[in-house]
Amino acid sequence: MTADPVPTPPAAPTEEHLARAALSRAVEPGDEHAGRWLRQYGATGFLDRLRHAGDDASSFPGTGAKRVASWRQRATAARPGRDLDTVHGLGGRFLVPGDTEWPRQLDDLGYARPIGLWVRGPADLRTWALRSVALVGARACTPYGAHTAADLAADLSRQGWVIVSGAAYGIDGAAHRGALAAGGATVAVLACGVDTPYPRGHDRLIRRVAEQGLVVGELPPDSHPTPSRFILRNRVIAALTRGTVVVEAQHRSGSLVTARAAGRLGRHTMGVPGPVASALSAGVHELLRGDATLVTDADEIIELVGDIGRLAPARRGPVLPRDLLAPATAHILEAVPARGPTPTTAIARRAGTTPDDTLAKLYELHSLGFVERCGEGWRLTNTATEASNARRGGP
């Protein structure tokens, strides 16, 4: 048995990363009061005022004294270096606005934009988010709902789309499993720390998502979920993706919160209809009576989200020169045979790396237009083939 790989020592964190890591422990997700002061003072300035400006709220006019006192107490107790070490020990990282991996569409949330994102998994979040769809729905779903969610996730994955959901029981779990079973890409957005799998019954599922996909959260390590954190987590799912599909949902379901947030952000909202007498479809039907679009299969979803040009590049994505690829990504591209399609495992063997790392890089290459998904395998696009021939001096 081989030993687990020892994580590479991280680069020294910047002041911005340390400040935002501390603020992620001091401020609840989606706090727009904090977002306003963060924009005015900057992360380091905001944190400095919390830690050194005394006990009054005069530095934050218009913000309640109790709220400021809570920020101060948590900021004083925060140990950002320890939190950063913890997530790095899991093979993860902490992203902040301005990082190359930061998904810029999150900036649409304005003052409610995440202070930062704690991330586990081998893929590039920004690149994956360019071709992502949220699949959400009821926790206590029906067999019809679970089957539909899994099928949609699998079919979307086979066509190169990344599935984003919240790792909850029911529709969320079915969506993640459908993507994983198809050898696809999936992102779990948690309402707790990325080192704290929740619900506990999905411990193995979340670990598998972290291996093959990405696990993302706003809260620092060892943070636990609360009802309000679940609701606020949904805005991140909505903002991160190019559209939200609700499979089953009752009235007042958290999934409807996600869909409505997506609508406010200019993303597509979609619903899968169910039996007219089913309470678990009542919320979806309510959406469909409004601005949501009825969808029944992956192709109908792609017709909608594939046309959102202002949120992401055209469907095939911009083709970048091969020399601009990161070395590890270029290595995977070189391992894709000129004639395909070729399974992920075969490409991994040619590259001498793991299937999970290979899959992450293949989805990055797909977003950049170098490869495309074809059933259970991958093949080079015409552009990539022509570039290879040019490099080799062939026709």
Side-chain angles (χ1 to χ4, degrees):
M1 180 181 295
T2 59
D4 291 336
V6 177
T8 304
T14 66
E15 288 188 4
E16 183 77 6
H17 284 81
L18 286 167
R20 285 182 176 268
L23 289 171
S24 75
R25 200 168 275 286
V27 174
E28 282 295 304
D31 188 330
E32 295 192 25
H33 288 272
R36 290 186 181 93
W37 299 119
L38 183 59
R39 180 173 296 183
Q40 178 170 332
Y41 294 133
T44 55
F46 183 24
L47 182 63
D48 184 67
R49 282 168 171 78
L50 288 177
R51 286 180 166 174
H52 305 297
D55 295 330
D56 63 88
S58 59
S59 297
F60 309 103
T63 301
K66 288 185 178 179
R67 186 188 299 265
V68 174
S70 175
W71 291 346
R72 291 191 193 283
Q73 182 178 15
R74 294 184 185 185
T76 301
R79 299 293 180 266
R82 183 175 61 190
D83 287 338
L84 292 169
D85 287 343
T86 296
V87 79
H88 181 265
L90 297 171
R93 61 251 185 225
F94 180 61
L95 305 179
V96 304
D99 286 346
T100 56
E101 195 183 346
W102 180 263
R104 295 183 181 90
Q105 58 266 49
L106 292 178
D107 300 346
D108 292 347
L109 290 168
Y111 292 133
R113 180 182 70 174
I115 291 171
L117 289 176
W118 303 84
V119 181
R120 292 175 62 189
D124 182 281
L125 178 61
R126 184 191 66 82
T127 307
W128 272 24
L130 294 177
R131 291 179 58 87
S132 65
V133 178
L135 286 181
V136 296
R139 287 177 171 81
C141 66
T142 66
Y144 158 80
H147 178 78
T148 299
D151 275 0
L152 287 174
D155 290 345
L156 287 164
S157 294
R158 293 189 185 101
Q159 298 188 58
W161 288 83
V162 178
I163 304 304
V164 180
S165 199
Y169 291 130
I171 298 301
D172 289 17
H176 291 305
R177 291 188 181 94
L180 293 170
T186 188
V187 178
V189 183
L190 305 185
C192 54
V194 294
D195 64 334
T196 310
Y198 188 91
R200 293 296 183 186
H202 276 178
D203 187 0
R204 290 182 61 186
L205 173 62
I206 293 170
R207 292 180 188 277
R208 182 61 188 139
V209 172
E211 293 168 357
Q212 184 170 320
L214 292 169
V215 175
V216 178
E218 295 179 76
L219 292 156
D222 199 34
S223 297
H224 296 279
T226 64
S228 63
R229 288 173 173 176
F230 281 117
I231 296 298
L232 291 164
R233 177 271 311 272
N234 294 343
R235 84 195 192 288
V236 177
I237 295 176
L240 193 63
T241 54
R242 294 171 62 170
T244 293
V245 183
V246 184
V247 178
E248 283 187 323
Q250 294 181 324
H251 289 298
R252 302 184 66 182
S253 166
S255 303
L256 304 184
V257 174
T258 309
R260 289 169 181 143
R264 288 193 298 272
L265 292 166
R267 277 62 160 173
H268 280 291
T269 58
M270 295 155 276
V272 177
V276 295
S278 171
L280 281 170
S281 291
V284 180
H285 296 161
E286 178 186 350
L287 283 177
L288 294 174
R289 288 195 299 272
D291 295 329
T293 302
L294 186 151
V295 293
T296 60
D297 60 27
D299 289 337
E300 292 178 353
I301 295 170
I302 293 170
E303 283 181 7
L304 292 172
V305 297
D307 293 331
I308 309 179
R310 74 178 183 86
L311 298 178
R315 183 171 296 187
R316 292 173 64 88
V319 179
L320 301 180
R322 184 183 295 244
D323 291 341
L324 294 180
L325 294 173
T329 306
H331 181 62
I332 296 299
L333 180 59
E334 292 290 346
V336 180
R339 298 183 184 276
T342 304
T344 302
T345 52
I347 297 171
R349 283 195 299 270
R350 288 170 61 96
T353 185
T354 66
D356 289 335
D357 285 340
T358 300
L359 185 68
K361 296 299 185 292
L362 285 169
Y363 268 91
E364 292 179 27
L365 290 166
H366 185 279
S367 292
L368 298 173
F370 286 102
V371 300
E372 59 188 5
R373 188 80 185 253
C374 185
E376 298 298 325
W378 295 86
R379 64 184 179 192
L380 296 174
T381 61
N382 291 336
T383 302
T385 302
E386 291 167 4
S388 290
N389 289 336
R391 284 167 62 90
R392 296 185 178 97

